[in-house]
Amino acid sequence: MADKKIMGIDLGGTTVKFAILTMNGEIQQKWSIQTNILDEGTHIVPDIVDSINHHLHLYGMKANDFIGIGMGTPGSVDRQQGTVVGAYNLNWKTSQPVKEQIEKGTGIAFTLDNDANVAALGERWQGAGDNESDVVFITLGTGVGGGIVMEDDLLHGIAGCAGEIGHITVDPDGFECTCGKKGCLETIASATGIVRVARQLSEEYAGPSVLKQRLDNGEELTSKDVFELAEEEDQFALMVVDHICFYLGLACGNIGNLLNPSTLILGGGVSAAGEFLRSKVANYFKQFTFPQVTESTKIKLAQLGNDAGIIGAASLALKLQN
Amino acid sequence: MADKKIMGIDLGGTTVKFAILTMNGEIQQKWSIQTNILDEGTHIVPDIVDSINHHLHLYGMKANDFIGIGMGTPGSVDRQQGTVVGAYNLNWKTSQPVKEQIEKGTGIAFTLDNDANVAALGERWQGAGDNESDVVFITLGTGVGGGIVMEDDLLHGIAGCAGEIGHITVDPDGFECTCGKKGCLETIASATGIVRVARQLSEEYAGPSVLKQRLDNGEELTSKDVFELAEEEDQFALMVVDHICFYLGLACGNIGNLLNPSTLILGGGVSAAGEFLRSKVANYFKQFTFPQVTESTKIKLAQLGNDAGIIGAASLALKLQN
């Protein structure tokens, strides 16, 4: 039992990542395949099964060597049934019997959860979360998402929407969001949101600024450009970053006031801005939390990068032990 | 085992309430004593022990008839140690070994949590929460507080501050709060907050209004007066209530977006305004949540009134079974 393994799968719209881990969270093998979303995504699960069986053969391992397989997936997950529906970047419009197919194809017990939750589990277990009981993970990427672990449990909510940090309303009069409401954190702090904020604020900014110049010239800009120029002390870029960190700090502050986790972890592409971002968010977090929370809840950067998904997915499998 | 009982204690600054319940949550006996906070609150626990032993004798019951005793208390609770510190309305400034004293004095296993958490457990178990897995309780009283149950567990957070709903920042430029920051929900939606909002808005209101008249005359007003006048269609009072419900709806909306509980329960003295309040909060909740949350998370009024505390406290004792 002690040397049984767990497998984690991170299913995405372009690649499927796999890893075999020890029960202590150490990655022993890692590989990936391309996601074939053709024919309504009907190849995806068979490809996963083939790839698992192929690699088990390659490593001289058997189904019996595993406690189980855990997977993170886009779309809406039915954890009891082991099905996924509405994963549009996989072309999965109808309900997919993922658990049934993978268990039948591999002979290994299988469980799954959504990708943001699984990444949160990973960062909490082996990353910035230090395996503490109460950890909130925020991904700042194309969108803003997240996952919440409290009292050692992943929170799901009645319709599976717990952790939808991107749709916290931070500015009731703010930008319209794709979700239909206004002023969601995602409209400001996602990669596209950051550029949107820069465009909006540039209309009122008068001083010299490379960022404003580029915007006025109609150049394509990324959130990375905004942060790089801010680090070079472009005054307008600094103003944009401050605006974003104000709202991120407000959202983090209110998560802190409500949940008081030991750690709030900032991950996703935008968090590549590193300590420059973290320290500014932490300053506003301090402004927006009451003293006991300010003192006990830390803001940290994610540590696992792309591996958070496979590690967190594998950790799901640990619960299949009993 | 099946007919063992549980006892709930709701410790407050003026009275201590007791109840004996079945394991199904049915109250069989209920009594209360005055809280004697003299001499640094040193009489409180001995009085509780005496009252329990007296009533067990009265009802012909023995320690062995109970699974345990649960208690809700003000102040900071150390659940592991069973101690309470900083309960200023009890004159408990130093750490009190409550569990040790009550277990020694009664021979019954004892456990405790803070009063807001315990009230949340009560409403979730036997009240508006329908015993569902994910329920958030908000008390609107002298202050604003709350308790959160997710995945069937009460959330505490690293420093025990989870559920401090009153300190969610709803208006970064708002009133100063006793906690040291600005724009906390409590500064707007507590009983005193509501009167404060009325005073502030009255400065800008010009039309005819009994509420404004009373304020201008320097009369003492309560939040109840504000709601009563609003129900009588006093236009200024309606404006004040709308302002309060906007921020309550924003806070509830963000709790919904973050946690997606099945139910958000409004309790405490201010919630006596009933459906008039609830429906207005629910309208703003709809505005501030994304569709899956709007559809799945309900806003309800508390049902248990003052009994939420003793019922929730007793439910804590159920966990002493194992």
Side-chain angles (χ1 to χ4, degrees):
Chain A
M1 186 65 193
D3 58 353
K4 284 228 175 188
K5 300 294 183 285
I6 48 182
M7 189 184 295
I9 305 177
D10 180 3
L11 172 56
T14 48
T15 58
V16 189
K17 302 190 194 78
F18 299 79
I20 295 172
L21 287 79
T22 65
M23 288 169 66
N24 296 324
E26 192 191 323
I27 296 179
Q28 297 202 311
Q29 303 289 348
K30 213 164 92 168
W31 72 96
S32 66
I33 59 173
Q34 282 193 296
T35 312
N36 177 358
I37 62 169
L38 295 178
D39 306 317
E40 312 242 296
T42 51
H43 303 290
I44 295 173
V45 176
D47 285 355
I48 288 174
V49 168
D50 286 349
S51 183
I52 292 172
N53 288 331
H54 171 68
H55 280 79
L56 293 198
H57 181 74
L58 210 63
Y59 305 137
M61 299 179 86
K62 295 180 305 291
N64 194 34
D65 294 327
F66 289 85
I67 292 168
I69 301 171
M71 184 170 90
T73 173
S76 278
V77 171
D78 182 325
R79 289 175 298 133
Q80 265 66 51
Q81 301 296 317
T83 57
V84 180
V85 72
Y88 299 102
N89 57 344
L90 303 176
N91 272 335
W92 281 357
K93 287 155 203 159
T94 59
S95 177
Q96 306 288 318
V98 180
K99 174 183 158 80
E100 190 190 320
Q101 289 175 296
I102 292 184
E103 288 190 342
K104 198 174 162 193
T106 65
I108 304 175
F110 177 88
T111 184
L112 81 180
D113 210 315
N114 81 52
D115 43 14
N117 282 345
V118 154
L121 283 180
E123 276 293 342
R124 179 246 182 173
W125 187 29
Q126 296 293 322
D130 290 330
N131 207 27
E132 295 209 59
S133 300
D134 307 311
V135 173
V136 176
F137 179 61
I138 306 177
T139 34
L140 307 166
T142 317
V144 172
I148 303 172
V149 175
M150 290 292 294
E151 310 274 330
D152 293 314
D153 272 325
L154 202 47
L155 305 189
H156 293 92
I158 183 75
C161 302
E164 283 285 359
I165 292 165
H167 297 292
I168 291 179
T169 306
V170 290
D171 178 7
D173 302 317
F175 297 119
E176 285 187 16
C177 182
T178 49
C179 78
K181 63 185 192 74
K182 273 182 167 181
C184 294
L185 180 63
E186 179 164 296
T187 67
I188 294 170
S190 64
T192 46
I194 291 166
V195 176
R196 185 187 296 127
V197 167
R199 277 191 209 290
Q200 190 202 37
L201 295 183
S202 80
E203 289 171 20
E204 298 155 22
Y205 188 79
S209 156
V210 174
L211 177 58
K212 182 172 163 64
Q213 218 168 28
R214 288 206 201 159
L215 284 164
D216 291 345
N217 290 341
E219 288 180 38
E220 287 285 325
L221 278 168
T222 66
S223 60
K224 192 161 171 266
D225 298 325
V226 174
F227 275 99
E228 280 174 1
L229 287 165
E231 289 210 67
E232 290 163 16
E233 307 213 336
D234 180 294
Q235 291 304 302
F236 173 59
L238 277 169
M239 185 199 280
V240 173
V241 167
D242 185 68
H243 185 93
I244 287 148
C245 291
F246 174 91
Y247 286 110
L248 262 174
L250 176 61
C252 288
N254 281 341
I255 296 169
N257 293 326
L258 192 63
L259 300 177
N260 186 31
S262 56
T263 314
L264 267 159
I265 306 174
L266 305 177
V270 171
S271 76
E275 178 59 21
F276 183 69
L277 170 76
R278 194 209 65 81
S279 60
K280 286 175 194 290
V281 173
N283 277 340
Y284 282 115
F285 177 80
K286 195 176 167 188
Q287 178 180 328
F288 292 126
T289 45
F290 61 97
Q292 295 99 310
V293 171
T294 316
E295 285 156 23
S296 59
T297 297
K298 300 179 289 289
I299 309 266
K300 294 172 78 173
L301 293 167
Q303 295 173 352
L304 301 180
N306 285 333
D307 284 347
I310 42 176
I311 293 173
S315 78
L316 282 178
L318 285 173
K319 295 221 171 177
L320 294 169
Q321 273 182 94
N322 309 318
Chain B
M1 187 66 190
D3 58 353
K4 284 229 176 186
K5 301 293 182 285
I6 48 182
M7 189 183 296
I9 305 177
D10 180 2
L11 172 55
T14 48
T15 58
V16 188
K17 302 188 194 78
F18 299 79
I20 295 172
L21 287 80
T22 65
M23 286 169 67
N24 297 323
E26 193 191 323
I27 295 179
Q28 297 203 311
Q29 304 289 348
K30 212 163 94 168
W31 74 95
S32 65
I33 60 172
Q34 283 195 295
T35 312
N36 178 359
I37 62 168
L38 296 178
D39 306 318
E40 312 243 294
T42 51
H43 304 290
I44 295 173
V45 175
D47 285 356
I48 288 174
V49 167
D50 287 348
S51 184
I52 290 171
N53 288 331
H54 172 67
H55 280 79
L56 293 198
H57 181 74
L58 210 63
Y59 305 136
M61 300 179 84
K62 294 181 305 292
N64 194 34
D65 294 326
F66 289 84
I67 292 168
I69 302 171
M71 185 171 90
T73 174
S76 278
V77 171
D78 183 325
R79 290 175 297 134
Q80 264 68 50
Q81 300 295 318
T83 57
V84 180
V85 72
Y88 300 103
N89 58 344
L90 304 176
N91 272 335
W92 281 357
K93 288 157 202 156
T94 59
S95 177
Q96 305 288 318
V98 180
K99 175 183 159 79
E100 190 190 318
Q101 289 175 298
I102 292 184
E103 288 190 340
K104 198 175 163 195
T106 65
I108 304 174
F110 177 88
T111 184
L112 81 179
D113 210 315
N114 82 51
D115 43 14
N117 282 345
V118 154
L121 282 179
E123 276 293 340
R124 179 247 182 171
W125 187 29
Q126 295 293 322
D130 291 329
N131 207 26
E132 295 208 60
S133 301
D134 306 312
V135 174
V136 176
F137 179 61
I138 307 177
T139 35
L140 306 167
T142 316
V144 172
I148 303 172
V149 176
M150 290 293 293
E151 309 274 330
D152 293 314
D153 272 326
L154 202 47
L155 306 190
H156 293 92
I158 182 75
C161 301
E164 284 285 359
I165 292 165
H167 297 291
I168 291 180
T169 306
V170 290
D171 178 6
D173 301 318
F175 298 117
E176 284 187 17
C177 182
T178 49
C179 78
K181 64 185 192 74
K182 272 183 168 183
C184 294
L185 179 64
E186 178 163 298
T187 66
I188 293 171
S190 64
T192 46
I194 291 167
V195 176
R196 184 187 296 127
V197 167
R199 275 189 211 291
Q200 190 202 38
L201 294 182
S202 81
E203 288 171 21
E204 298 155 23
Y205 188 80
S209 156
V210 174
L211 177 58
K212 183 172 162 63
Q213 218 167 28
R214 289 205 201 160
L215 283 165
D216 290 347
N217 290 341
E219 289 181 36
E220 288 285 325
L221 278 168
T222 65
S223 60
K224 191 161 171 266
D225 298 325
V226 174
F227 275 99
E228 280 174 359
L229 287 166
E231 289 211 67
E232 290 163 17
E233 307 212 338
D234 180 294
Q235 291 304 303
F236 173 60
L238 277 169
M239 186 198 280
V240 173
V241 167
D242 184 68
H243 185 93
I244 287 147
C245 291
F246 173 92
Y247 286 110
L248 262 174
L250 177 61
C252 288
N254 282 341
I255 296 168
N257 293 326
L258 192 64
L259 299 177
N260 185 30
S262 56
T263 314
L264 266 160
I265 305 174
L266 304 178
V270 171
S271 76
E275 178 59 20
F276 183 70
L277 169 76
R278 194 209 64 82
S279 60
K280 287 176 193 288
V281 174
N283 276 340
Y284 282 114
F285 177 79
K286 195 176 166 188
Q287 178 179 326
F288 291 126
T289 46
F290 61 98
Q292 295 98 310
V293 171
T294 316
E295 285 155 24
S296 59
T297 297
K298 298 180 290 289
I299 308 267
K300 294 173 76 173
L301 293 166
Q303 296 173 352
L304 302 179
N306 285 333
D307 284 347
I310 42 176
I311 293 173
S315 79
L316 282 179
L318 286 173
K319 295 219 169 177
L320 295 169
Q321 273 181 92
N322 309 318

